[in-house]
Amino acid sequence: MKIAVLKESAAGERRVSATPETVKKFVGLGAEVAVEAGAGLTASIDDAAYAAAGASVGTRAEALAGAGIVLGVQGPSPDSLGGAAPGAWIVAGLNPFGERGRVDAYAAAGFEALAMEFMPRITRAQSMDILSSQSNLSGYKAVLDAAAEYGRAFPMMMTAAGTVSAAKCFVMGVGVAGLQAIATARRLGAQVSATDVRSATKEQIQSLGAKPIFVENVAGIEGEGAGGYATEMSEEYQKAQAELVSAHIAKQDIVITTALIPGRPAPRLISDAQIATMRAGSVIVDLAVEQGGNVEGAVAGEVVERHGVKIVGHKNVPSRLAADSSALFARNLFNFLSAFWDKEKGAPVLDEEIGDAIRLTQGGKVVNPRLLG
Ligand code: NAD
């Protein structure tokens, strides 16, 4: 089986889908790995390192020629895959809801597209979960981005010239990114509070030494829903949440929002009127900005200022830590393919539970139930 590792073509994408470590492991499985020249440069990996790990390095056409598996961080353009084997697997973060046209084009071209973000959240697939590995780094980086924009210090400091008070940081949405944001803000010395619609997160917030801020009078999501994800909340809940946030946010210096609902626009959590109550110089980081944004006025790819408050809307936050995010992403891909590697066939063979969940296209058709509605 030949595996092609492509240079990412999306604007601003610095990650790469394989590292010398994973190349070596694929070669160990008996696969042939071909890397497009320069694929790792933006993640601090040069071509020589891939070659030393056992890959061939060449043009895109050389990498693709006869490849049965094409790896990517984001989905490659379907018309840039000439030379790949008929029915080749495209394994990447394919953004199936946002890039539906591209999914159709994979089908039309006869590729089998496998969306890594549809990996079921079951124990045996944890090591294959790109959403977790990338969100973790996003949560960390969001706090650093906030600290860089904030004109004050995070920790309390007692100096001969007087005391600097600790920053107050509020994390909204306590999934993987939110938990890491809490931990990072705590490490930097901030006073941290956090909220979520899932009541299961209350204990997690407390265990990280932060204060839970929860809507108490209206039912949230008890236990873990399907796959542990949130759903859209009732109007009553949204109203109660808005009141709670209004009271709390005026006292915060830093707000990190991470709230997402799979397949839906991100819930709006902070209004312009609420921003106006915050102290000048405060910073909000909206990690959901590319999914529609949790914060009114946030602009994808920009840092904007409203009422003296900076709203940070960086796109593709994991890519801002490209070396680490690539290392984890590449391991997710290797863990996935190696778990299903059939030694006799010299190729992976998927089981139903995972195959049916992540397969978007097969035999010229879109086959995933989440896309067929
Ligand atoms: P996510 O990125 O989909 O959403 C981020 C957070 O926003 C979630 O905690 C969600 O509850 C919250 N949210 C949604 N709407 C909100 C609102 N209106 N107000 C406040 N918060 C809101 O979440 P995620 O990081 O992907 O994690 C989702 C769940 O999956 C968690 O329970 C996590 O522990 C679980 N998980 C399981 C596995 C596994 O078992 N393999 C791996 C990773 C995550």
Side-chain angles (χ1 to χ4, degrees), residues 119-127 129 131-133 135-136 171-179 195-198 200-201 204 221 223-233 237-238 241 257-262 266-269 294:
M119 189 62 70
R121 289 189 141 176
I122 50 177
T123 306
R124 74 185 169 107
Q126 267 180 359
S127 66
D129 184 356
L131 292 182
S132 290
S133 71
S135 294
N136 207 333
V171 176
M172 303 185 73
V174 187
V176 178
L179 285 171
T195 192
D196 201 290
V197 291
R198 294 182 298 114
T201 60
Q204 297 166 354
I221 298 173
E224 298 288 311
Y229 285 115
T231 49
E232 257 172 339
M233 305 305 287
Y237 185 96
Q238 289 181 30
Q241 187 183 41
T257 72
T258 77
L260 292 177
I261 301 166
R268 181 54 52 84
L269 300 180
N294 295 142

Side-chain angles (χ1 to χ4, degrees), residues 3 12 48 63 73 77 92 95 131 147 149 154 177 227:
I3 301 176
V73 173
S77 159
N95 188 12
L131 292 182
E149 295 293 344
F154 264 45

Side-chain angles (χ1 to χ4, degrees), residues 271-310:
S271 67
D272 189 64
Q274 289 169 325
I275 296 169
T277 67
M278 294 179 74
R279 179 160 78 135
S282 300
V283 180
I284 304 176
V285 178
D286 188 347
L287 278 184
V289 72
E290 289 176 274
Q291 284 80 28
N294 295 142
V295 182
E296 186 174 359
V299 180
E302 288 182 31
V303 179
V304 296
E305 201 164 318
R306 304 275 283 223
H307 312 290
V309 175
K310 284 186 182 162

